C-alpha cells in the first residue's frame, strides 16, 4: 500500500507537468479513484502541485506532522473489528481487533515496520494452571504464507507464561510482514498448545477472514 501511495502521489503532483502552463489553476480538477477532490492546485514552472495532505488523505492514508523532528509521516492503516476465539484446553484467547499498519512503531522498533496488530485477551477458565506462549508461534496468511510471530524481533506484549484460574492477560501481538497488506484476505494462528506439565492441549482455531 505504501508503494502505491508514493507512486500515486508522485503521479498526481507531476501530472500535467508538460504544456499545462497555458491553463489557469482553477481550470484543473483533481480526481482520486474517480472521485473529485477539492484541492488548491498551483502551477509552478509549468508543473502542477497539490497539497500532500489532500492527496494522501484522499487515498486513505493518515498524515502526521512532527514539529520537534520536522518530519512528515504518511501511513495507511485498516482496522477490522472481529470476534474470534482461539482455544487451548481451558485457555481462551479472544481477538477483538486486527489492524494492518504500513508504518507501525512502538518502543521496540528502530524504524517503522509493515505489521499486523492483534488486540487480544487471554483467560484461564478453570482451576488447572497452564503454561502457554501465544507469541512464539506463527501466523499463516491466505492459507499458504507462514510468518513467525517472534521473527526477527518479538515486538509483542508479554503474554506468555503461567495462567492460573481467572488470570487474564491483555495486550497486542505484533507480526512484522514483508508483503502488501492489501493482499491479505485470511489469517490463521499456528501455535503450540498449552500444558499443565503432563497433559498437552492442542490449539483449536478457525481462519479469520478480513472483510
Amino acid at each position: 500500500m505504501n508503494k502505491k501511495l508514493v507512486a500515486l502521489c508522485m503521479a498526481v503532483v507531476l501530472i500535467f507537468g508538460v504544456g499545462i502552463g497555458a491553463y489557469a489553476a482553477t481550470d484543473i480538477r483533481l480526481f482520486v479513484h474517480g472521485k473529485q477532490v477539492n484541492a488548491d492546485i498551483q502551477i509552478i514552472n509549468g508543473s502542477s502541485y497539490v497539497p500532500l495532505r489532500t492527496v494522501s488523505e484522499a487515498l486513505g492514508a493518515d498524515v502526521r506532522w512532527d514539529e520537534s523532528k520536522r518530519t512528515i509521516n504518511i501511513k495507511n492503516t485498516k482496522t477490522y473489528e472481529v470476534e474470534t476465539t482461539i482455544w487451548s484446553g481451558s485457555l481462551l484467547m479472544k481477538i477483538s481487533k486486527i489492524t494492518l499498519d504500513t508504518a507501525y512503531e512502538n518502543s521496540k522498533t528502530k524504524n517503522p515496520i509493515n505489521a499486523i496488530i492483534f488486540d487480544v485477551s487471554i483467560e484461564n477458565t478453570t482451576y488447572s494452571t497452564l503454561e502457554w506462549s501465544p507469541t512464539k508461534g506463527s501466523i499463516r496468511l491466505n492459507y499458504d504464507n507462514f510468518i513467525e510471530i517472534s521473527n526477527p524481533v518479538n515486538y509483542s506484549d508479554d503474554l506468555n507464561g503461567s495462567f492460573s484460574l481467572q488470570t487474564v492477560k491483555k495486550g497486542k501481538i505484533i507480526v512484522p510482514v514483508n508483503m502488501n497488506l492489501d493482499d491479505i484476505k485470511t489469517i490463521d494462528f499456528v501455535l503450540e498448545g498449552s500444558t499443565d506439565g503432563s497433559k498437552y492441549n492442542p490449539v483449536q482455531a478457525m481462519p479469520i477472514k478480513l472483510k
Side-chain angles (χ1 to χ4, degrees):
M1 172 62 74
N2 52 347
K3 292 182 179 178
K4 291 182 179 178
L5 176 61
V6 172
L8 285 170
C9 285
M10 292 178 63
V12 173
V13 170
L14 297 177
I15 196 167
F16 307 123
V18 178
I20 197 68
Y23 295 89
T26 53
D27 292 333
I28 302 174
R29 293 180 297 165
L30 173 63
F31 288 83
V32 178
H33 296 315
K35 182 180 179 181
Q36 186 170 350
V37 177
N38 293 326
D40 179 19
I41 303 175
Q42 298 185 20
I43 301 175
I44 302 175
N45 295 327
S47 293
S48 297
Y49 292 85
V50 297
L52 182 62
R53 179 181 293 276
T54 300
V55 178
S56 298
E57 291 182 346
L59 291 168
D62 177 50
V63 182
R64 296 185 182 182
W65 164 250
D66 189 324
E67 176 66 30
S68 62
K69 297 180 180 179
R70 306 291 293 175
T71 59
I72 300 171
N73 184 25
I74 302 174
K75 69 176 184 176
N76 186 276
T77 60
K78 288 184 178 180
T79 300
Y80 299 86
E81 302 294 334
V82 298
E83 294 183 1
T84 298
T85 301
I86 297 173
W87 287 90
S88 178
S90 62
L91 287 175
L92 61 91
M93 179 168 72
K94 294 182 179 180
I95 303 173
S96 58
K97 184 169 64 174
I98 297 175
T99 303
L100 309 182
D101 194 332
T102 59
Y104 178 78
E105 293 182 278
N106 66 12
S107 60
K108 300 177 184 179
T109 57
K110 294 182 179 180
N111 297 297
I113 59 173
N114 211 42
I116 306 175
I117 302 99
F118 302 89
D119 285 67
V120 305
S121 174
I122 306 170
E123 180 180 5
N124 188 357
T125 60
T126 67
Y127 290 96
S128 178
T129 298
L130 296 174
E131 296 285 332
W132 200 30
S133 299
T135 69
K136 292 185 178 180
S138 63
I139 61 172
R140 182 174 60 176
L141 305 179
N142 301 335
Y143 299 108
D144 59 4
N145 188 4
F146 287 87
I147 299 175
E148 296 295 322
I149 295 174
S150 57
N151 184 32
V153 177
N154 191 353
Y155 298 105
S156 304
D157 294 327
D158 185 9
L159 299 169
N160 304 322
S162 297
F163 292 82
S164 56
L165 174 64
Q166 296 182 339
T167 295
V168 179
K169 296 183 181 182
K170 296 182 179 181
K172 297 180 184 296
I173 295 178
I174 314 298
V175 185
V177 296
N178 187 24
M179 67 179 290
N180 189 334
L181 298 180
D182 284 342
D183 294 335
I184 299 174
K185 305 303 178 185
T186 62
I187 302 173
D188 284 287
F189 271 85
V190 184
L191 306 173
E192 290 292 324
S194 63
T195 180
D196 61 3
S198 58
K199 180 183 178 181
Y200 175 80
N201 303 297
V203 170
Q204 302 176 50
M206 295 291 291
I208 304 169
K209 295 182 179 181
L210 302 183
K211 57 182 180 179

